[in-house]
Amino acid sequence: MRTPHALLATTVTTAALAAAVVAPAPAEAADTVPPPGAYYVQSAATGLNAAGTTGTTGTVEQRRPRGDEDHQRWNLRADGASHLLEDTDSPGTCLGRDGDGARTVGCANPEARWEIAPAGADRFTLAAPGTGRRLTVAPRPSGATHPAALAVGAGTGDLALWYLTPVAPVTRPMPPEGERTLDQVTFLTAHNAYANGVDGGFAPPFVSLFPNQSRGIERQLADGVRGFMLDIHQTPDGAILCHNSCTLVSRPVALWVDLQRIVDFLRAHPGQFVTVFLEDYVDPGVLRAELARVQGLSDVLYRPDRTGVREHGWPSMGQLAAAGQRLLIFTDHGRAADEAAGLTRDTFGVMYQREWTVENHWSMGPGLGASDWSCYSRWYDAGTNIPLTRTEPGFRPLFVMNHFRDTTVASTAGTDNSKLADRAGRFCRPAARKKPNYLAVDRYDLGDPAAAVASLNTYTYP
């Protein structure tokens, strides 16, 4: 495995780091419609894609992004003062209208023409020419997700806004190591890094037959893994690393033990940066006490909430190395429950992941058989809507790309990992409109997922 080169380190204060943060803001809207070419028509509200159906006429729905599958690619071209969006899989068939519904129609049909207008933040409206009727996502009923079928009407807000995401985007060369910002870098990430059967027990006897990894945490660090997904459960001994529960688990490892391994590695390798993702089932007070046991944690802990990231963007890797802030910890726990309990995790340096990242759904399917490569938000359901495309002025969330299955079968993991770069490029990068920052896999030692990381680290996605 490739280990990143050390970055130049000098001493700066946290305040200086905040003042020095410079990162590219999300692209502003162009004054004109994008040039002719192949695009995804992607909802600004949900991040899902407009998809047609086979044949000359059929319902147009929003569906999970599936790359070059499922009639989700549209060739944009001018047609007089209007534009057409032709299905790349069905020449002569265009995204159009039929009354109040979105339909595929023949491209010669007047209902195939759209007035496309910029609407800020790289978004567009698609309107029936000469009318105020726009392509829109229908409002979602209470306790449900948005309806699949797209409508044409008086949509407002994000429901009537669309990204025209290029199928083949123009990329830029990656800046030098010290100058590249955190959101430009991709890290190899071990899903369930603790479930390795080397450092200790992690699951009841039958489940333990299917470890997610085959090497311990220290070896993972030596091999270049820089993202660690850890499940923590509460026991009388504190926060323990176990899969689903700690019942019947022999010799489980405490969270502080693995965090100490990571901190010790960072102290010995001052140019490296590590991120820990906690699937978190413990009380905030228990987690705080667990972190307090880790010697030197405060010396390396990175606090994006205190360094102006939301206002100015992510810092460069050189700035992080110089400040010594090289360990970022996320929790998937919700802020609201902690506020109700009277202690939020970010007060002791654990960031709420939903506030700082986007993440695709965690599973590609069962351990054997066909896989589902569609790439859509982990946090899109009846109660939550955080699209993979989420951005804010001056701030771009980090993108966690999950690429693993329900159960780890070594042969399947090796095959899946060999296809990681393909899925990242064709499916997940356009789905999020950003390059993955964390590639999370099972059995990182199989299929050379490090090659996909290296490839992604050669360019930036503007």
Side-chain angles (χ1 to χ4, degrees):
M1 291 299 196
R2 299 171 178 85
T3 301
H5 297 298
L7 300 175
L8 180 65
T10 57
T11 302
V12 297
T13 65
T14 298
L17 174 60
V21 166
V22 178
E28 295 299 325
D31 293 332
T32 59
V33 177
Y39 294 87
Y40 300 100
V41 179
Q42 193 169 16
S43 169
T46 65
L48 304 182
N49 288 342
T53 52
T54 303
T56 56
T57 61
T59 301
V60 176
E61 300 178 336
Q62 59 165 353
R63 298 183 191 152
R64 298 169 180 172
R66 292 182 62 90
D68 57 352
E69 303 173 0
D70 196 36
H71 298 279
Q72 297 185 10
R73 292 181 172 186
W74 307 90
N75 275 324
L76 173 70
R77 69 175 189 268
D79 184 66
S82 301
H83 286 82
L84 298 175
L85 287 158
E86 184 178 24
D87 187 340
T88 61
D89 299 321
S90 301
T93 301
C94 281
L95 191 158
R97 307 168 298 280
D98 182 9
D100 293 334
R103 306 280 292 184
T104 51
V105 300
C107 293
N109 189 323
E111 296 299 302
R113 295 178 177 86
W114 297 95
E115 287 181 352
I116 301 179
D122 207 25
R123 301 174 180 190
F124 299 86
T125 58
L126 282 67
T131 75
R133 299 170 60 245
R134 298 174 171 178
L135 181 67
T136 184
V137 173
R140 62 178 179 176
S142 177
T145 58
H146 291 282
L150 297 175
V152 180
T156 60
D158 281 355
L159 295 178
L161 296 180
W162 301 87
Y163 296 109
L164 296 178
T165 301
V167 169
V170 176
T171 60
R172 300 169 183 164
M174 180 71 88
E177 283 191 339
E179 298 175 18
R180 59 190 64 170
T181 54
L182 182 59
D183 59 323
Q184 293 176 326
V185 181
T186 301
F187 300 96
L188 179 60
T189 300
H191 169 237
N192 286 355
Y194 66 95
N196 53 62
V198 175
D199 294 329
F202 63 90
F206 178 74
V207 178
S208 66
L209 297 176
F210 301 93
N212 298 97
Q213 308 298 336
S214 64
R215 298 170 178 174
I217 295 294
E218 291 178 343
R219 175 66 185 274
Q220 292 178 35
L221 286 162
D223 287 345
V225 175
R226 293 295 178 266
F228 296 83
M229 293 181 168
L230 307 175
D231 295 7
I232 54 173
H233 293 265
Q234 189 166 318
T235 74
D237 296 322
I240 306 299
L241 297 165
C242 305
H243 191 64
N244 293 331
S245 80
C246 293
T247 303
L248 301 179
V249 177
S250 174
R251 301 183 301 107
V253 177
L255 171 63
W256 77 267
V257 172
D258 274 354
L259 287 181
Q260 189 67 65
R261 290 173 170 140
I262 292 170
V263 170
D264 290 346
F265 172 84
L266 290 172
R267 294 171 73 176
H269 301 82
Q272 300 303 304
F273 187 90
V274 170
T275 305
V276 171
F277 299 89
L278 299 177
E279 186 173 318
D280 191 342
Y281 301 100
V282 306
D283 294 333
V286 171
L287 180 56
R288 181 175 61 179
E290 192 77 10
L291 299 187
R293 301 179 67 180
V294 182
Q295 297 181 10
L297 176 63
S298 61
D299 296 333
V300 297
L301 190 61
Y302 172 45
R303 298 288 303 269
D305 56 331
R306 294 182 175 179
T307 54
V309 169
R310 301 201 83 88
E311 296 76 24
H312 306 292
W314 297 96
S316 71
M317 302 307 293
Q319 290 164 346
L320 289 166
Q325 299 176 351
R326 296 173 291 112
L327 175 61
L328 179 56
I329 304 178
F330 288 117
T331 175
D332 70 348
H333 205 279
R335 176 184 288 276
D338 286 352
E339 289 177 337
L343 177 62
T344 60
R345 292 164 209 251
D346 55 358
T347 58
F348 50 87
V350 177
M351 301 293 103
Y352 292 98
Q353 191 178 343
R354 298 185 192 197
E355 298 176 4
W356 298 96
T357 75
V358 293
E359 180 177 342
N360 67 309
H361 179 64
W362 58 270
S363 172
M364 294 193 298
L368 294 172
S371 59
D372 179 3
W373 277 24
S374 62
C375 214
Y376 60 101
S377 178
R378 174 187 177 186
W379 299 312
Y380 177 66
D381 53 36
T384 312
N385 181 23
I386 303 177
L388 289 182
T389 54
R390 177 175 64 119
T391 58
E392 300 171 19
F395 169 70
R396 178 165 52 185
L398 303 175
F399 175 23
V400 181
M401 178 185 157
N402 294 312
H403 186 78
F404 48 83
R405 303 193 185 215
D406 299 351
T407 303
T408 305
V409 177
S411 59
T412 304
T415 299
D416 288 344
N417 290 348
S418 70
K419 300 176 181 179
L420 178 56
D422 186 37
R423 185 181 181 218
R426 284 200 297 136
F427 288 73
C428 292
R429 185 184 67 181
R433 292 175 53 83
K434 58 179 73 75
K435 193 175 72 170
N437 299 107
Y438 299 93
L439 293 182
V441 299
D442 285 334
R443 291 301 303 270
Y444 75 88
D445 57 308
L446 302 176
D448 198 12
V453 173
S455 176
L456 286 165
N457 279 328
T458 63
Y459 70 89
T460 64
Y461 183 100

